Amino acid sequence: MAHTTYFLGANSKDGFYSLMDRLIDPAEARAIYILKGGPGCGKSSLMKKVGQAAQDAGCCPQYIYCSGDPDSLDGLVIDEWGVALCDGTAPHIAEPSYPGAVERYVNLGACYDTAGLATHKKEIMELMGGYQGAYRRAYRCLKGAGQLIEDNLELLETDALKAKIKKRAKGIIAREIPKHGTGGKVTERFLSALTCKGQVCLFETANELCKHIYELADSYGLAHLLLEELLGAAVERGHDAVVCPDPMAPSRLQHLLLPGLGVAFVTGSPELPYPGKPYRRIRLDAMADQEELRRHKARIRFSRKVARALLDEGMETLAAEKELHDALEKVYNPYVDFDRVYAMADEVIGEILELAAKL
């Protein structure tokens, strides 16, 4: 297993939602590097270089992708060494809780030619304002979509449905989640994101960690009810779990990974189905009250159609924001001393290898 990939941020119906404070437990961490610096200063490049060094040493790092641009990194976790790195700038601002003892700043802003950048002040300010405005519009679209999705859920999450799901969960728990102890550890990660490239789900991480994949075929967002039951049982029975919230509504679960058991429960939708052949498929749509579906057919269809349009518009706006951000990076790149960036990366790698040698 070379590495796994997740998100720790989400473009949600309520704006940007961050799990960056759950990157790694400070009590268990040996070092957390908080990278500071603006556009184009090499934060993602530094983390990629550190990640490759960890892989070369036989570790399996977690790469944390940016939820706005999945080609960029927001973080890196090397569990074997108790080390993490993160982009500590907005919107996922990170500041130390135990400065020096755990967290260490890496100031990549020191690699800027500030005199050169000052000659582009007006252009930089215009581009900054443009892409921040694009984010505001994207979140307005996502908020509208989220409200319509919630409207359908209010219709469909009936007591009868909850009873059916509880019964189905009981069978799965008996079959897949044996008693192992008590108090399993829960780790939160996003497996999905709404990005400038559309809806993305890192199903490959579930495949990497788990041999048996249950696909929850779900058009309406009902998977949360089943996943809550399974998560409660897994933790109670002593199994560690990776819980993956819904990026649109982070209070609801979308996926659940139980690596110790080799079992994952991933939600597949008509827009983003699970791409492989699942071990088992559970059709949650069929468990919904069919009479409710018939009675409110027009309302449900309208809500889904308009929510889909708003989601698409929101993600198109994120794509427009990415173009503005790319333009901003092009302004900055000629004024970044990348030799210095890579020297700082080598210094961080050296410190991390020293920590690893002491294990």
Side-chain angles (χ1 to χ4, degrees):
M1 184 164 61
H3 67 273
T4 55
T5 53
Y6 297 101
F7 300 99
L8 274 178
N11 297 306
S12 81
K13 64 182 178 63
D14 296 316
F16 185 76
Y17 186 93
S18 178
L19 293 173
M20 194 61 79
D21 61 339
R22 277 151 271 191
L23 179 70
I24 188 171
D25 184 350
E28 298 177 2
R30 306 184 76 220
I32 300 172
Y33 292 84
I34 300 175
L35 311 185
K36 295 290 187 177
C41 70
K43 297 186 293 293
S44 187
S45 297
L46 187 149
M47 286 188 276
K48 286 175 183 176
K49 190 168 185 182
V50 174
Q52 188 58 59
Q55 286 183 236
D56 292 344
C59 296
C60 176
Q62 294 177 35
Y63 288 94
I64 308 299
Y65 289 153
C66 172
S67 57
D69 174 14
D71 290 329
S72 183
L73 284 182
D74 273 353
L76 177 74
V77 182
I78 309 168
D79 282 318
E80 295 92 334
W81 295 341
V83 171
L85 299 89
C86 69
D87 180 346
T89 58
H92 34 65
I93 296 170
E95 294 295 344
S97 299
Y98 312 99
V102 178
E103 299 95 348
R104 311 173 187 194
Y105 279 124
V106 180
N107 179 21
L108 290 168
C111 302
Y112 284 141
D113 171 2
T114 53
L117 286 169
T119 65
H120 295 272
K121 178 179 176 181
K122 183 178 178 183
E123 184 180 5
I124 287 170
M125 291 180 74
E126 288 175 352
L127 287 169
M128 283 280 193
Y131 91 79
Q132 290 167 358
Y135 263 121
R136 288 193 294 271
R137 183 171 188 277
Y139 290 143
R140 284 194 287 268
C141 291
L142 298 184
K143 183 173 184 176
Q147 289 174 336
L148 289 168
I149 292 167
E150 286 178 0
D151 188 59
N152 278 348
L153 285 171
E154 282 187 11
L155 289 174
L156 298 175
E157 287 188 347
T158 62
D159 290 341
L161 171 68
K162 291 174 184 177
K164 282 184 189 177
I165 286 180
K166 203 174 188 74
K167 183 178 179 181
R168 189 63 179 270
K170 198 171 180 180
I172 296 170
I173 291 164
R175 184 169 60 248
E176 301 288 1
I177 308 178
K179 184 79 173 175
H180 182 64
T182 57
K185 177 184 174 184
V186 174
T187 301
E188 285 188 85
R189 296 285 189 263
F190 287 107
L191 203 64
S192 307
L194 302 169
T195 80
C196 65
K197 292 187 170 184
Q199 286 181 271
V200 173
C201 185
L202 304 172
F203 288 118
E204 60 270 22
T205 291
N207 292 335
E208 188 72 42
L209 293 174
C210 302
K211 181 180 178 182
H212 289 163
I213 305 290
Y214 278 73
E215 180 186 9
L216 311 181
D218 182 14
S219 301
Y220 304 106
L222 306 176
H224 168 75
L225 299 173
L226 179 61
L227 294 173
E228 268 199 326
E229 296 286 336
L230 299 176
L231 172 62
V235 172
E236 183 184 349
R237 294 180 175 213
H239 299 283
D240 293 346
V242 180
V243 298
C244 306
D246 182 342
M248 265 291 283
S251 63
R252 299 176 65 86
L253 300 184
Q254 191 175 54
H255 314 284
L256 174 64
L257 314 181
L258 303 175
L261 293 171
V263 179
F265 303 88
V266 301
T267 298
S269 66
E271 296 79 21
L272 197 61
Y274 174 67
K277 184 178 180 181
Y279 171 63
R280 293 194 177 175
R281 180 178 286 114
I282 299 175
R283 302 184 187 280
L284 291 174
D285 293 2
M287 299 175 74
D289 187 322
Q290 299 305 303
E291 181 57 36
E292 284 293 310
L293 285 171
R294 281 191 293 271
R295 184 183 307 134
H296 300 289
K297 182 178 179 181
R299 175 178 164 182
I300 291 170
R301 181 185 293 171
F302 170 82
S303 294
R304 290 190 66 196
K305 182 178 179 180
V306 177
R308 184 71 253 166
L310 286 167
L311 281 172
D312 289 343
E313 183 64 22
M315 288 183 287
E316 283 181 23
T317 307
L318 290 176
E321 176 278 329
K322 173 66 165 58
E323 289 180 7
L324 290 167
H325 192 267
D326 286 348
L328 191 61
E329 288 199 335
K330 283 182 181 178
V331 175
Y332 271 87
N333 278 158
Y335 301 99
V336 177
D337 182 349
F338 280 100
D339 287 340
R340 190 172 178 185
V341 171
Y342 293 129
M344 292 174 79
D346 288 337
E347 186 178 333
V348 170
I349 291 168
E351 288 182 11
I352 291 172
L353 289 176
E354 278 187 32
L355 290 171
K358 294 175 183 176
L359 288 173

